[in-house]
Amino acid sequence: MVRFRALVIAVLMSAIWSHAGWAADAAQLEQNKKTVRAFYDAALNKKDFDEASKYLGSQYRQHNPTAKDGPEGLKGFIGFLKEKFPNNKSEIKRIFADGDFVIVHVNAVREPGTRGFAIVDIFRLDNGKVVEHWDVVQPVPETAQNDNGMF
Amino acid sequence: MVRFRALVIAVLMSAIWSHAGWAADAAQLEQNKKTVRAFYDAALNKKDFDEASKYLGSQYRQHNPTAKDGPEGLKGFIGFLKEKFPNNKSEIKRIFADGDFVIVHVNAVREPGTRGFAIVDIFRLDNGKVVEHWDVVQPVPETAQNDNGMF
């Protein structure tokens, strides 16, 4: 009877331990989303490289073909935005997280009143810091074959 | 002492119940990824509308501006691929799931030997069936400012 009780307790403790792991994972996903929102707003809307760089890890591996690798590439892109499109507004329409990745679906409007671009950015995080970036960028067309819009 | 023991058991049972919920959620995310992989392969690689339509729900809300709404729009797009780009190969480079959404990062090569397109597709599922689609599409450029590639 004592051994049965010990077994029951061991099973229960294992379930609690496993649940604690899941809860920690869920909390990390939410924290990663918050980090990417803050990073995105600092870089694309505030156009403040110093603030954005607080969210970067020890590297920033860049896959956008128009940007140079590393934090310097991000700095260059933010400088380009500030100079050419100071009113650029990038609005996150939806945000997802899975494992070490955060994905944002964005409408980036470089000049107010224009349709702008549909963008999906994929960020990889390491220890809660942004370390890698991929994106796909497409102009929002004037007309469409359906009435649902691109977002 | 009896009431304390009852409280301990109640807390343990609650933890197990909560853990069961998390495990079910995780299993659903994995199942949704499997569904989208199968749907994608049927539609884009096999170009088989009948097979692809098995994964569709009661609606298919389309946000790609070049496609008509609904399953008929998907049928039209698959017909276009079969006729114009029968060798189209869409390779899923990475896949993510969050809540009711599955996101794929894809290299779609319409003609073998070409660089093709970088695409992110976002699918919403309802009860395990695909019911809504957004995407962003960009040609892979010949040259880039970094050596990391678009994937």
Side-chain angles (χ1 to χ4, degrees):
Chain A
M1 187 62 192
V2 170
R3 285 168 72 186
F4 176 73
R5 191 178 292 172
L7 179 66
V8 168
I9 288 170
V11 168
L12 290 170
M13 292 308 289
S14 165
I16 290 171
W17 191 252
S18 171
H19 170 252
W22 278 108
D25 288 351
Q28 185 64 58
L29 292 176
E30 285 309 308
Q31 184 56 49
N32 282 353
K33 285 184 187 177
K34 275 190 191 173
T35 297
V36 166
R37 275 191 191 279
F39 172 69
Y40 212 84
D41 196 47
L44 281 301
N45 293 324
K46 294 180 187 166
K47 304 165 190 72
D48 182 337
F49 174 73
D50 288 341
E51 187 181 327
S53 64
K54 290 178 192 165
Y55 302 102
L56 293 180
S58 57
Q59 61 159 355
Y60 186 58
R61 190 170 159 84
Q62 180 60 260
H63 296 267
N64 177 315
T66 69
K68 288 197 166 68
D69 206 16
E72 285 304 309
L74 178 66
K75 193 173 186 175
F77 180 69
I78 291 175
F80 158 80
L81 273 186
K82 278 176 92 160
E83 189 186 327
K84 301 285 187 188
F85 302 103
N87 297 314
N88 178 80
K89 179 94 170 50
S90 290
E91 187 189 350
I92 294 176
K93 297 289 191 177
R94 43 187 69 82
I95 186 164
F96 311 104
D98 184 354
D100 293 329
F101 295 84
V102 174
I103 304 100
V104 290
H105 191 196
V106 172
N107 185 201
V109 176
R110 288 187 161 181
E111 299 281 8
T114 62
R115 289 180 299 278
F117 296 84
I119 300 176
V120 173
D121 294 279
I122 302 170
F123 296 98
R124 185 170 66 82
L125 287 87
D126 184 30
N127 282 318
K129 298 285 192 174
V130 178
V131 295
E132 193 161 7
H133 171 248
W134 300 256
D135 62 7
V136 180
V137 180
Q138 178 184 353
V140 175
E142 191 177 345
T143 58
Q145 296 287 312
N146 59 69
D147 298 327
N148 301 325
M150 279 194 80
F151 303 98
Chain B
M1 188 61 191
V2 169
R3 286 167 70 186
F4 177 74
R5 192 177 292 171
L7 179 67
V8 168
I9 289 170
V11 168
L12 291 170
M13 291 309 288
S14 164
I16 290 171
W17 191 253
S18 170
H19 169 252
W22 278 108
D25 288 350
Q28 186 63 59
L29 292 176
E30 285 310 306
Q31 184 55 51
N32 283 352
K33 285 183 187 177
K34 274 189 191 171
T35 297
V36 166
R37 275 190 190 279
F39 172 69
Y40 212 84
D41 195 47
L44 281 301
N45 292 325
K46 295 179 186 166
K47 304 167 190 70
D48 182 337
F49 174 73
D50 288 342
E51 188 181 328
S53 64
K54 290 177 194 167
Y55 303 101
L56 293 181
S58 57
Q59 62 159 354
Y60 185 57
R61 190 171 159 85
Q62 180 60 261
H63 296 267
N64 177 315
T66 70
K68 288 197 166 68
D69 206 17
E72 285 303 308
L74 177 66
K75 193 173 184 176
F77 180 69
I78 291 174
F80 158 81
L81 273 186
K82 277 177 93 160
E83 190 186 327
K84 301 286 186 186
F85 302 103
N87 296 315
N88 179 80
K89 179 92 168 52
S90 291
E91 186 190 349
I92 294 176
K93 298 289 190 176
R94 42 187 69 82
I95 187 165
F96 310 103
D98 185 354
D100 294 328
F101 295 84
V102 173
I103 304 100
V104 290
H105 191 196
V106 172
N107 185 201
V109 176
R110 289 188 163 181
E111 298 281 8
T114 61
R115 289 180 299 278
F117 296 84
I119 300 176
V120 172
D121 293 280
I122 301 170
F123 296 98
R124 186 170 66 83
L125 289 86
D126 184 30
N127 281 319
K129 297 285 191 175
V130 178
V131 295
E132 193 162 8
H133 171 247
W134 301 256
D135 62 7
V136 180
V137 180
Q138 178 184 353
V140 176
E142 191 176 347
T143 58
Q145 295 287 312
N146 59 68
D147 299 328
N148 302 324
M150 279 194 81
F151 303 99

